[in-house]
Amino acid sequence: MALLRDPLLNKGTAFTEQERDALGLRGFLPAHVFSMQTQVERVMANLRELPSDLAKYVALNELHDRNEALFFRVVCDNIDEIQPLIYTPTVGLACQRFGYIFQRPRGLFIAACDRGRIAELLANWPYATKLIVVTDGERILGLGDLGANGMGIPVGKLSLYCACAGIHPELCLPVVLDVGTNNEALLNDPYYIGMRQRRLSGAAYDEFVDEFVTAARETFPGVMIQFEDFANHSAFRLLHKYRDIIPVFNDDIQGTAAVALAGLFSALRVTGGKLKDQTVLFLGAGEAATGIADLIVSAMMAEGLTEAEAVRRNWLVDSRGLVVKDRAGLTEHKLRYAHDQAPIEQFLAAINTLKPTAIIGVAAVGGAFTPEVLQTMAGLNERPIVFALSNPTSKAECSAEEAYRHTGGRALFACGSPFDPVNLDGKTYVPRQGNNSYIFPGVGLGATACGARLVTDEMFMVAAHALAQLVSQEDLAQGSLYPALPRIREVSARIAEAVAVVAYNNGLATGHAPNDMAAFIHSKMYDPHY
């Protein structure tokens, strides 16, 4: 019975006749032995009959808790259909409703009341972990503070690590640091799963996080930690605190940057322009915006610009308007992009003044790329670059259909949530999601495969180049700036190779570099089967 209740070992109706005899399963299972392929087909048939995406999310969670190999086989074989259900956009709704749909715990919930014994909690975890995704739930997607309900994010991210890059599920640990919530609705929700208290802050918060990081490194030597969906005021501070001493990264800052830069590289293959000649205007000035801008600056410098010249080509607009040098009270991460310029309150006015070649939306303000914004970009540029990267879908700056229609089909468009193909004036455009799942699984695979001691910006730069190189001319011809999602394991493997090469070249890897890096990476990839 223990086998049937362990999702890492359970095969359900696929246990063979010999296994049923040898493992004491005779009688617990119906007589017919099903192949894994038939099980996959049955899961998909049932899934497609469910009435809503949230119901499908719950059903997939149940499968994940019952049979991991089958769950990941379903995801791998149907990635286009399943990824939006287990991650964006559905995971946002799932986190909002987490207390209502909660069934079986997955990962570790480490609460503020556990201070002083976090190492004890981590020691309860039964597997030798190599990769932790951790959140404190303060800034879940564009939805804000969801507290302990944010566990859906690390669970979803690690599912993509396994499906998209082949990191074995036994090596993955999702963690939520439950430090309370300032969300009044959750504090008053009878089904909220987390601590009913206001968030820890200041020194108490930092000490709690530091205890977790220290205990994680001692319990799981060499473990890589990915920070996910922390609020700006914590995200930058924590990344800078740990990035030069342990293998840690923040996907909202660095992963988003790499996938956006890859999209720009792809767009420039269409326009024929150079990155160093672009002017990029961001709607948003938080983790994503400054992370993308920092990586663009590095890439522009690689093309010959000075740092000052490159920084000057990147501009931020926040809730108070254009970020300019004379504004009082700017937070540290905005200061680099606070230029000498008269204040401008409106995004459209900033476009008319700065005449950007690319606009990138990462502010989670739904509909902010208005028809006027898109038409103005089309008037300024033959092929305007328009990235509406906020998610979930309700927070997207514009839809694919709006981007193409209001630019006469000339926009080079990428999105943060999935949109269907668009038919306009007899041509079909296929927008692709600039989803971090193109980047972070490959980076994680490369770093863990070689035992990287740090995760560096250079690794994200080579990841962006590797991703862009996998976009075909056929992709570009139909408006796709990223490869087709069914190629994601190929993409992740290529990124992992590039990341591992950087680690070995910079003395950050364990042991000697393998003679055949591609074969080495593929040997580390989990293939879900019985």
Side-chain angles (χ1 to χ4, degrees), residues 224-274:
M224 186 173 79
I225 299 174
Q226 174 179 326
F227 289 116
E228 191 68 36
D229 283 7
F230 285 74
N232 290 338
H233 59 88
S234 298
F236 289 103
R237 187 179 74 258
L238 294 175
L239 178 62
H240 291 309
K241 180 175 182 178
Y242 296 111
R243 64 182 303 171
D244 294 328
I245 53 177
I246 63 173
V248 60
F249 73 95
N250 185 304
D251 187 49
D252 304 303
I253 299 172
Q254 296 160 286
T256 300
V259 78
L261 180 59
L264 288 175
F265 285 146
S266 295
L268 294 173
R269 287 170 57 188
V270 177
T271 68
K274 297 284 189 182

Side-chain angles (χ1 to χ4, degrees), residues 119 122 209-220 225 242 246:
L122 289 169
V209 174
D210 199 56
E211 183 186 348
F212 161 72
V213 171
T214 301
R217 295 286 295 166
E218 291 174 354
T219 307
F220 311 112
I225 299 174
Y242 296 111
I246 63 173

